[in-house]
Amino acid sequence: AKSEGRGTYHFFEAGMDATLQRRRTLETGLRDALANNGLSVVFQPIVSLQTNVVVAAEALMRWDHPRLGPISPVEFIPIAEETGIIHDIGGWILEAATRAAAQWPGPVRVAINLSPIQFKRPDLVSTIKAALEAASLDASRLELEITESLLLENSQSNIDVLLAVRRLGVRVAMDDFGTGYSSLSYLRAFPFDKIKIDRSFMADVATKADSRAILGAMISLGRNLGMTTVAEGVETAEQLAVVRAEGCTQVQGYFFSPPIEGEAMLAMLQAEQCN
Ligand code: C2E
Ligand code: CA
Ligand code: CA
Ligand code: CA
């Protein structure tokens, strides 16, 4: 950068400063938020296409920074992963979400996202077990969502941890299915209970035959392997109709509901019980 002349160098440096500064602010802010109840959890309903009722809800983390306002998890989760804070905030949402789900009626499940970094701690399985016990939530009501980057490391120890989690009675879902390099080979590495088809595949399903064929093939694949299939990011009635016609099991997306506060989630489930 220096050879490009002083001006360029300074410009570049100033740009770096702003990015770095925001990162530092978010990093310390995240620790403060964890210590001072600054994090919250919202829930997005997942609806069965067989019964049209809410069968599960995905827990999603929210952070409202006191000065910068709401920060997307797309921005703060990677920072949490790089700094190791993910262990603490990951433990926090596990506790908060299982506690909330223990209030939900019937067999409605809660789905929680796990970062690959969380698998680096040997006590992950006992942390999950402890959270279930503290919340008095049956293991069968918890689903854990992982992305294939976890299996990308091809480490047997990650697979062993997943198997141990599954032996507790917890279900395991592959998140963002179809977006990685080798989604298919990972289906052989681990017995997933569920695949969540990434929302990028919903884009043109109502208008493009090729897109619909790809979606249909993913759904058939899941069904043939005995897995539950979830279509993520369903926003329109047209997309819903396609997903339903292709035989998908469950659906999640703005068409049915955006992520909502815990109280609203509980109210929705209680209202549904009365029907
Ligand atoms: P994800 O696990 O794929 O979660 C689904 C994301 O899609 C959520 O974004 C949700 O609000 C959004 N979404 C749901 N329905 C629709 C729709 O119909 N259209 C569109 N355009 N988007 C929809 P969100 O809450 O911003 O979370 C983004 C990502 O951050 C998540 O993607 C997940 O990878 C990560 N994340 C969120 N909470 C946690 C957490 O507690 N732990 C970990 N490790 N990661 C988390
Ligand atoms: Ca997810
Ligand atoms: Ca996803
Ligand atoms: Ca994602």
Side-chain angles (χ1 to χ4, degrees):
K2 266 178 185 160
S3 62
E4 290 167 41
R6 259 188 97 76
T8 314
Y9 181 71
H10 278 280
F11 179 74
F12 178 69
E13 207 176 37
M16 279 295 284
D17 269 359
T19 311
L20 222 88
Q21 210 176 338
R22 180 172 172 93
R23 210 202 121 93
R24 295 242 169 83
T25 306
L26 294 184
E27 196 181 317
T28 48
L30 212 42
R31 289 184 208 280
D32 289 344
L34 181 68
N36 303 306
N37 286 318
L39 297 174
S40 60
V41 54
V42 289
F43 297 94
Q44 186 174 32
I46 300 172
V47 178
S48 162
L49 287 171
Q50 278 124 29
T51 60
N52 296 316
V53 300
V54 178
V55 287
E58 178 174 2
L60 294 158
M61 210 181 295
R62 292 292 177 264
W63 177 28
D64 199 359
H65 187 279
R67 187 163 47 83
L68 301 173
I71 313 291
S72 166
V74 174
E75 184 175 13
F76 74 75
I77 293 289
I79 295 175
E81 289 177 331
E82 282 161 37
T83 54
I85 309 171
I86 193 69
H87 295 289
D88 292 332
I89 66 172
W92 173 81
I93 196 165
L94 196 60
E95 282 174 26
T98 50
R99 236 185 292 121
Q103 311 230 30
W104 298 348
V108 178
R109 298 194 183 98
V110 64
I112 300 174
N113 295 284
L114 280 189
S115 157
I117 306 295
Q118 292 177 268
F119 285 75
K120 295 195 193 297
R121 288 267 173 95
D123 58 354
L124 180 63
V125 180
S126 53
T127 302
I128 292 165
K129 202 161 176 259
L132 288 168
E133 276 162 15
S136 301
L137 186 73
D138 196 86
S140 65
R141 292 183 55 197
L142 176 62
E143 289 178 355
L144 296 173
E145 300 190 359
I146 61 150
T147 53
E148 58 182 43
S149 62
L150 180 79
L151 301 176
L152 190 70
E153 298 167 23
N154 202 12
S155 107
Q156 187 58 41
S157 83
N158 284 347
I159 292 176
D160 289 344
V161 171
L162 274 184
L163 288 170
V165 164
R166 218 163 164 266
R167 274 195 301 273
L168 293 177
V170 172
R171 277 156 218 251
V172 180
M174 187 192 273
D175 204 353
D176 304 343
F177 183 75
T179 55
Y181 290 112
S182 26
S183 300
L184 294 182
S185 67
Y186 296 125
L187 295 180
R188 289 166 63 209
F190 182 78
F192 290 95
D193 299 283
K194 185 180 226 184
I195 52 174
K196 300 191 76 176
I197 300 169
D198 191 72
R199 69 178 153 88
S200 58
F201 292 99
M202 292 318 127
D204 327 300
V205 288
T207 50
K208 290 211 177 102
D210 286 358
S211 300
R212 180 171 175 153
I214 292 167
L215 176 75
M218 288 193 281
I219 293 168
S220 303
L221 177 68
R223 191 180 36 239
N224 291 336
L225 291 172
M227 299 184 299
T228 300
T229 50
V230 189
E232 291 193 290
V234 171
E235 297 181 349
T236 68
E238 291 75 22
Q239 290 171 330
L240 178 64
V242 171
V243 160
R244 192 188 287 281
E246 294 294 338
C248 196
T249 330
Q250 297 174 357
V251 65
Q252 177 178 358
Y254 296 162
F255 180 74
F256 190 78
S257 170
I260 54 179
E261 302 281 330
E263 280 173 30
M265 188 70 236
L266 182 60
M268 180 189 282
L269 294 171
Q270 285 170 340
E272 218 169 45
Q273 277 247 305
C274 300
N275 287 338

